Amino acid sequence: MTARIIDGKALSDQVKAQVSQRVDELKARGITPGLAVVLVGEDPASQVYVRNKAAACEKAGLHSRVIRLAADIGEEQLLDLVRDLNHDASVHGILVQLPLPKHMNSSKVIETIAAGKDVDGFHISNAGLLMTGQPLFRPCTPYGIMKMLESENVSLWGAEAVVVGASNIVGKPMAMLMLAAGATVTLCNSKTRDLGAQTRRADVLVVATGKPGMVTGDMIKPGAVVIDVGINRNEQGKLVGDVDFESARKVASAITPVPGGVGPMTIAMLLVNTLEAAERSAVQVPVTQ
Ligand code: NDP
């Protein structure tokens, strides 16, 4: 079997085109959806992510404001900035690019973002809403994966879903979304004994560990759908995922590539979340904190 390649780039283009249309409708009502992206320090990967997010916003007609702060800025200054953005009616979504410098408490910063503007979906209120089946903002990466599965007509109802990696931003919300869609979910971490025994049960396998090529073809059930979230650079400087693509594609029925799979969908869903925040603001009183 050679797996079908799930084209995240093409699907993200479709999603962005739909966003663009809804942005036009909102602009006609006098509202331009706005995203504020805060970048602290000069981490090279973060700079690329922030640039890509801002460019995607502009292209879809949203307004983006990138605020760059020195790495040694005090935490209180960052919190004050976030509070100002919470009260700024032209800003519908606020994103603080992670990781933050070590002297800052990331949880405290995220909890300071107004939950109604937390387009990353990392605020504890949004995590709780997702957990209890009433999501406001779904974290962008798992949300994008759900869209991919939907567009591939992969039914999660009664399916065995295995998620490898249990971070707050990918693995855990991924598990919650698939559970809500009717799957029986297994969530693995670095302590999981006999990982292959878990992954081989998966009809849908999502891998998000940051360990290049750690899931190999022999760990995959024939015909499974494999979603590779990992973004790593190998020794040759090439982007690779957490799944060994060459061995996996011989066993899976469908697989996401790296690059061109989950990555583009993450950005597309950030636009969706920002647009929806702006749409909600059109019918609600401003969010304050
Ligand atoms: P984290 O480092 O926060 O979490 C990694 C998770 O993987 C942890 O739960 C860890 O377990 C688990 N893990 C590590 N090694 C193993 C192992 N050998 N077996 C089983 N589980 C293991 O990573 P993130 O979730 O933030 O990111 C994961 C990957 O996804 C990275 O490559 C990142 O770059 C990429 N990423 C891609 C995005 C995209 O848009 N495509 C967006 C976000 C992330 P434990 O809890 O026990 O430590």
Side-chain angles (χ1 to χ4, degrees):
M1 180 182 301
T2 303
R4 191 171 71 250
I5 308 295
I6 304 175
D7 188 342
K9 172 77 177 67
L11 181 59
S12 74
D13 286 343
Q14 281 176 32
V15 172
K16 287 190 227 169
Q18 288 158 6
V19 166
S20 202
Q21 203 178 342
R22 280 164 67 186
V23 167
D24 287 345
E25 285 163 20
L26 213 48
K27 279 182 172 168
R29 294 163 60 195
I31 298 168
T32 300
L35 174 70
V37 181
V38 182
L39 174 62
V40 185
E42 285 169 9
D43 176 67
S46 293
Q47 294 201 30
V48 174
Y49 293 145
V50 165
R51 216 169 28 239
N52 290 345
K53 287 168 187 175
C57 274
E58 297 298 336
K59 201 164 170 214
L62 292 88
H63 175 65
S64 77
R65 192 158 126 207
V66 178
I67 301 155
R68 292 186 168 81
L69 303 172
D72 59 358
I73 189 178
E75 185 179 89
E76 207 40 54
Q77 273 172 285
L78 175 59
L79 296 178
D80 280 344
L81 169 72
V82 170
R83 289 186 195 107
D84 285 348
L85 294 170
N86 286 344
H87 291 282
D88 185 334
S90 70
V91 172
H92 303 98
I94 303 169
L95 181 160
V96 178
Q97 184 66 41
L98 301 177
L100 286 170
K102 290 202 169 41
H103 67 280
M104 291 189 178
N105 178 342
S106 301
S107 304
K108 192 170 168 191
V109 174
I110 290 167
E111 297 337 325
T112 303
I113 298 173
K117 295 191 178 188
D118 166 43
V119 283
D120 259 340
F122 297 162
H123 191 288
I124 203 157
S125 303
N126 285 318
L129 286 169
L130 179 66
M131 176 109 179
T132 51
Q134 337 158 53
L136 180 65
F137 293 110
R138 297 161 182 85
C140 302
T141 300
Y143 193 9
I145 293 170
M146 293 301 283
K147 281 274 171 221
M148 286 175 131
L149 295 174
E150 192 187 304
S151 84
E152 291 287 314
N153 295 315
V154 176
S155 171
L156 286 164
W157 195 257
E160 289 279 350
V162 176
V163 181
V164 186
S167 69
N168 289 338
I169 66 171
V170 186
K172 284 183 201 164
M174 185 76 253
M176 286 303 133
L177 287 171
M178 294 206 289
L179 185 68
T184 301
V185 182
T186 304
L187 187 52
C188 304
N189 60 22
S190 65
K191 296 93 181 171
T192 300
R193 273 180 287 164
D194 196 354
L195 185 65
Q198 303 296 336
T199 56
R200 272 189 291 275
R201 289 191 298 104
D203 301 311
V204 177
L205 176 62
V206 180
V207 188
T209 61
K211 300 279 178 308
M214 66 162 290
V215 168
T216 46
D218 59 313
M219 296 168 73
I220 295 168
K221 176 173 160 178
V225 174
V226 177
I227 307 291
D228 188 354
V229 183
I231 303 178
N232 314 286
R233 287 221 179 258
N234 69 9
E235 282 151 15
Q236 292 78 42
K238 194 176 156 227
L239 277 187
V240 293
D242 293 347
V243 175
D244 176 49
F245 187 77
E246 285 313 318
S247 62
R249 72 184 303 192
K250 295 188 182 114
V251 189
S253 63
I255 186 167
T256 59
V258 178
V262 174
M265 286 304 292
T266 297
I267 293 193
M269 302 324 286
L270 174 66
L271 303 187
V272 170
N273 278 348
T274 306
L275 167 70
E276 290 183 352
E279 287 174 341
R280 278 195 288 273
S281 82
V283 289
Q284 281 173 359
V285 289
V287 179
T288 54
Q289 179 171 340

